[in-house]
């Protein structure tokens, strides 16, 4: 699945291959002005050429499901599940009916899964987006340490995003490739000018890029106060970074520390509570206009105040916390609008990064944008500014009732509890990167995943249900499926590793098998043949057809399979950055990693309220596992492949 197209430039940041000549990028002369929307020809032609997401065969999924359960279930439990699956698949049974329904749906929709997935994974999910859903991204510490430097860097950052936006608007973004196949580019059109809106039971997403008058402003938040900043001049050209810097200075002078209500903190709430508070908030006309201005804005820039002190050693972990939740109400948690799809965060002391609301897109498009911004910000030949007067940035006002004040107080308390609960450890594993597994002819991603399995097993003496994100972007509107990294092969390897009765040759053989099995699962997942989204689809189809939910979904084994104590994701980037997210279960870990050639950045998260988990302990175990696996490979002569 890899490496067949040597003539193309390889984009090491996403692990995806970027191809200029055959993208819609070639037709630069056909460019549209800034307001161009996605409905023009090139983009659509590319999208239409993509295959639709397949519906895997029913029997295949049932068999593979049993295989995936083996390492995490007891024998008796598995026997019970097999019986339920036999009944489910029986000729003329409910499985066949649902499968037919799914196949019909696949033939009449652009993607049979994506809308359901966005609802189930995001819009119906009611825990706060903070920590529980929105990923953070930490950039290397920048070279500034005061307010002036903060504003100068932030203005370059805005200019860099606008430069990337021009490529989106003009459809000159290079198409990405994975294993020789072109990828769906839709997510790039979903991340700017969009926002999540809280509802009472289900949230929604608005995307103003598609409106007849797309927004020309960003929102800037400083000392918890929001401003609208127009970033295009009247002739449609983006403001230069010099001009933007002047505007940011005006914003900072207009927003000293005040006792104004920190309204942004409301977006950290449980979604039902925020949905209710939102209705109250927007009853007031001024508030409604202010909220709309934030929702419509291209993105939000958070100019943060001070952050808790950190040593060089803890810097990246502290920065990850700032990106994920802002550190609580006394630090920067209210200096955000967490519903906003994309928020850039720039602190006073060189700390910078981003957080994004996950519903509209996966990490890779966000990372591609950020890589571009970093490259752009390093340019020395910035365009110079014409000296035209610029409109004063507008402050957004909020009228806060006594009831809203209470909501804000409650949000502050809950946010502070959540901030105290989250533990994040960033480690830069410096001994090797993709180079070592490659030299041993192994997939680096699979090698890292098997090391995670070993680390977990050594810590808990058991395997756990493990999630790794696999991209489905080979298909139109594709999002993700699950690579189940705990397999029978990985279980055999991790159990043998510290067994003194096993020979090294045997251990290496088991390692190879585990790594190969993982890579095989990956290939299966990215080609739409994994099990998790298919099972979800069958369940949703039952709901759609108003049938009772089949027994296989009420089976405790299904709940166990979905209780991911390891929730992991590889997110590569060109820039040496770290991405992070929280655990998805109270007693689990979130592990995000960015494998570079000679080192690997990891962010491991856990909850302090869970006595069994400890991010520092697991990250140390991961380092040991990687090193021990290398040592084993180096010390053991291998059989011919
Ligand atoms: N021998 C030597 N080299 C190998 C190899 C082997 N046996 N197997 C793989 N490689 C090479 C590949 O050619 C590739 O080379 P490159 O660095 O020059 O590009 C490199 O090793 C990496 O390959 P691998 O580690 O196998 O992983 P991958 O890049 O194919 O990525 C996934 C695997 C699962 C991460 C990827 O398919 C995917 O789905 N990515 C998206 C995940 C995502 O969306 N995350 C965010 C969710 S919000
Ligand atoms: C900026 C990097 C973000 C990575 C986020 C990510 O991996 O999200 C996963 C999305 C998916 O559908 O698999 C979900 N996860 C965080 C729970 C792994």
């Amino acid at each position: 699945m890899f490496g067949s197209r040597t003539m193309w430039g390889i984009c090491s940041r996403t692990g995806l291959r970027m191809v200029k000549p055959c993208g819609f990028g070639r037709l630069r002369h056909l460019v549209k002005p800034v307001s161009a929307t996605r409905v023009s020809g090139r983009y659509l032609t590319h999208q239409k050429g993509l295959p639709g997401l397949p519906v895997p065969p029913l029997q295949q999924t049932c068999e593979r499901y049993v295989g995936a359960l083996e390492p995490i279930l007891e024998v008796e439990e598995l026997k019970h599940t097999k019986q339920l699956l036999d009944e489910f698949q029986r000729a003329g049974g409910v499985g066949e009916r649902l499968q037919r329904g799914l196949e019909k749906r696949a033939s009449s929709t652009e993607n049979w899964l994506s809308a359901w997935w966005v609802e189930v994974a995001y819009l119906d999910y009611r825990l706060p987006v903070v920590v529980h859903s929105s990923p953070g991204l930490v950039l290397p510490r920048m070279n500034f340490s005061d307010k002036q430097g903060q504003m100068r860097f932030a203005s370059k950052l805005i200019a860099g995003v606008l430069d990337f936006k021009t490529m989106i608007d003009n459809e000159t973004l290079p198409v990405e490739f994975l294993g020789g196949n072109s990828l769906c580019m839709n997510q790039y059109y979903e991340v700017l000018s969009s926002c999540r809106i809280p509802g009472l039971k289900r949230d929604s997403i608005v995307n103003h890029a598609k409106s007849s008058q797309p927004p020309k402003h960003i929102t800037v938040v400083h000392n918890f106060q929001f401003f609208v900043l127009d970033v295009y001049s009247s002739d449609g050209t983006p403001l230069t970074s010099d001009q933007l810097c002047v505007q940011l200075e005006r914003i900072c002078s207009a927003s000293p520390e005040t006792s104004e209500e920190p309204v942004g903190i409301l977006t950290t709430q449980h979604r039902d509570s925020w949905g209710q508070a939102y209705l109250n908030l927007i009853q007031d006309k001024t508030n409604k206009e202010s909220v709309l201005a934030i929702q419509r804005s291209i993105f939000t820039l958070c100019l943060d105040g001070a952050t808790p002190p950190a040593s060089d050693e803890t810097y990246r972990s502290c920065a990850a916390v700032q990106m994920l939740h802002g550190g609580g109400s006394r630090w920067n948690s209210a200096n955000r609008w967490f519903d906003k799809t994309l928020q850039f965060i720039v602190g006073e002391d060189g700390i910078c990064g981003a957080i994004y609301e996950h519903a509209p897109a996966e990490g890779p498009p966000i990372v591609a944008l950020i890589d571009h911004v970093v490259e752009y910000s390093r340019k020395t030949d910035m365009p110079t500014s014409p000296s035209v007067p610029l409109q004063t940035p507008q402050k957004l006002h909020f009228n806060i009732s006594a009831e809203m004040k209470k909501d804000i107080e409650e949000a502050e308390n809950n946010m502070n509890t959540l901030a105290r609960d989250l533990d994040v450890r960033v480690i830069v594993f410096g001994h090797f990167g993709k180079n070592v597994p490659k030299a041993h002819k192994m997939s680096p991603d699979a090698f890292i995943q098997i090391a995670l399995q070993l680390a977990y097993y050594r810590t808990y003496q058991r395997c756990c249900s493990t999630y790794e994100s696999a991209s489905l972007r080979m298909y139109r509107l594709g999002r993700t499926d699950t690579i189940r990294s705990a397999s029978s092969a990985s279980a055999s390897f991790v159990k043998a590793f510290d067994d003194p009765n096993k020979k090294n040759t045997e251990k290496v053989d088991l390692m190879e098998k585990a790594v190969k099995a993982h890579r095989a699962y990956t290939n299966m997942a990215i080609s739409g043949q994994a099990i998790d989204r298919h099972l979800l689809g069958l369940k949703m189809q039952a709901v759609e057809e108003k049938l009772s939910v089949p027994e296989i979904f009420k089976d405790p084994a299904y709940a166990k399979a979905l209780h991911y104590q390891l929730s992991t994701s590889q997110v590569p980037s060109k820039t040496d950055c770290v991405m992070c997210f929280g655990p998805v279960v109270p007693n689990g870990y979130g592990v995000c990693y960015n494998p570079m050639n000679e080192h690997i950045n990891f962010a491991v998260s856990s909850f302090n309220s869970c006595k069994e988990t400890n991010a520092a302990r697991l990250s140390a175990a991961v380092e040991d596992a990687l090193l021990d696996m290398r040592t084993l490979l180096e010390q053991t002569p291998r059989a011919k492949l």
Side-chain angles (χ1 to χ4, degrees), residues 113-422:
L113 170 67
S114 295
W116 277 344
W117 175 247
V118 172
E119 282 167 19
V120 173
Y122 300 108
L123 305 179
D124 288 347
Y125 188 67
R126 306 316 284 160
L127 287 182
V129 288
V130 181
V131 174
H132 299 290
S133 178
S134 299
L137 183 148
V138 184
L139 284 169
R141 191 176 202 154
M142 294 294 162
N143 191 18
F144 62 82
S145 54
D146 60 8
K147 197 89 204 160
Q148 197 54 39
Q150 176 186 25
M151 287 185 284
R152 217 169 316 150
F153 177 76
S155 50
K156 282 187 188 170
L157 185 151
I158 302 170
V161 183
L162 298 178
D163 193 56
F164 194 83
K165 183 174 183 295
T166 305
M167 287 199 284
I168 297 177
D169 293 336
N170 293 343
E171 303 188 358
T172 50
L173 266 181
V175 170
E176 290 167 339
F177 276 67
L178 177 62
N181 297 292
S182 65
L183 297 184
C184 174
M185 297 296 283
N186 179 66
Q187 291 179 26
Y188 283 95
Y189 295 82
E190 305 295 339
V191 294
L192 296 176
S193 314
S194 65
C195 196
R196 180 161 168 160
I197 298 180
L200 292 176
K201 292 218 166 88
R202 166 181 290 179
D203 293 359
S204 54
I205 311 169
V206 274
N207 183 342
H208 293 281
K210 296 170 192 167
S211 73
S212 56
Q213 287 203 307
K216 301 279 172 52
H217 70 279
I218 65 166
T219 33
V220 179
V221 49
H222 178 248
N223 278 331
F224 312 160
Q225 299 159 59
F226 288 83
F227 290 80
V228 162
L229 168 56
D230 288 326
V231 288
Y232 290 95
S233 44
S234 48
D235 66 359
T237 52
L239 297 194
T240 64
S241 65
D242 285 350
Q243 289 174 314
L244 289 163
C245 197
V246 170
Q247 296 295 65
L248 293 183
E249 278 166 14
R250 292 164 98 176
I251 288 175
C252 288
S253 339
S255 50
E257 278 183 48
T258 61
S259 51
E260 274 177 55
E261 290 297 327
V263 64
I265 199 85
L266 289 170
T267 62
T268 66
Q269 274 285 49
H270 185 283
R271 303 307 295 176
D272 290 348
S273 316
W274 173 214
Q276 186 57 60
Y278 178 79
L279 288 182
N280 299 341
L281 182 74
I282 61 168
Q283 261 174 18
D284 176 282
K285 190 165 164 279
T286 304
N287 295 348
K288 192 173 179 174
E289 282 169 8
S290 296
V291 168
L292 186 63
I294 299 173
Q295 291 167 345
R296 279 179 47 82
S297 62
I298 300 167
F299 62 92
T300 296
L301 168 71
C302 310
L303 291 174
D304 272 12
T307 47
S311 65
D312 280 354
E313 235 170 57
T314 57
Y315 173 74
R316 280 179 188 249
S317 302
C318 294
V321 159
Q322 284 303 308
M323 298 310 140
L324 278 173
H325 60 62
S329 62
R330 73 171 275 237
W331 300 101
N332 293 295
S333 295
N335 213 40
R336 310 273 184 273
W337 193 266
F338 284 102
D339 292 355
K340 191 68 196 155
T341 308
L342 189 52
Q343 303 194 85
F344 288 93
I345 298 164
V346 183
E348 287 174 357
D349 45 4
I351 207 173
C352 56
I355 177 163
Y356 82 94
E357 199 291 300
H358 211 325
E362 258 60 70
I366 307 280
V367 172
L369 189 157
I370 286 174
D371 276 339
H372 182 87
V373 168
V374 170
E375 214 166 278
Y376 188 92
S377 73
R378 288 190 183 131
K379 274 192 194 169
T380 44
D381 58 332
M382 292 279 178
T384 48
S385 317
S387 55
V388 285
L390 298 167
Q391 250 191 348
T392 313
Q394 264 185 316
K395 182 165 174 179
L396 295 173
H397 294 281
F398 289 93
N399 297 317
I400 301 298
S401 64
E403 198 188 342
M404 294 304 310
K405 264 190 192 168
K406 271 203 208 139
D407 288 332
I408 288 175
E409 233 177 81
E410 187 188 294
E412 286 179 327
N413 289 336
N414 291 341
M415 181 62 246
N416 293 342
T417 307
L418 184 57
R420 274 194 300 273
D421 199 14
L422 186 76

Side-chain angles (χ1 to χ4, degrees), residues 431-432 436 439-440 447 504 508 511 626-638:
H431 301 276
F432 59 87
V436 163
H440 290 279
F447 187 88
N504 278 358
V508 168
M511 189 200 299
L626 286 165
L627 286 172
D628 293 349
M629 282 168 63
R630 177 179 70 173
T631 306
L632 178 70
L633 282 176
E634 282 175 356
Q635 290 179 351
T636 318
R638 285 163 81 190

Side-chain angles (χ1 to χ4, degrees), residues 117 122 133 135-137 356 358 362-363 366-367 467-470 480-481 533 567-569 571 579-582 584 592:
W117 175 247
Y122 300 108
S133 178
L137 183 148
Y356 82 94
H358 211 325
E362 258 60 70
I366 307 280
V367 172
Y467 179 111
E468 181 191 5
S469 309
T480 61
D481 206 330
R533 301 302 182 268
S567 165
T568 79
S569 187
V571 190
M579 287 59 119
C580 47
F581 46 77
V584 295
C592 195

Side-chain angles (χ1 to χ4, degrees), residues 2-3 10 12 14-17 178 356 358 361-364 434 437-446 468-471 480 483 519 522 526 569-571 597:
F2 48 82
I10 291 171
S12 58
T14 52
L16 313 173
R17 281 154 225 281
L178 177 62
Y356 82 94
H358 211 325
E362 258 60 70
K434 290 189 284 187
K438 278 187 189 177
H440 290 279
K441 301 210 166 19
M442 290 181 176
S443 147
D445 184 69
E468 181 191 5
S469 309
S471 177
T480 61
I483 303 168
R519 186 61 232 185
T522 300
I526 62 177
S569 187
Q570 179 194 142
V571 190
N597 275 337

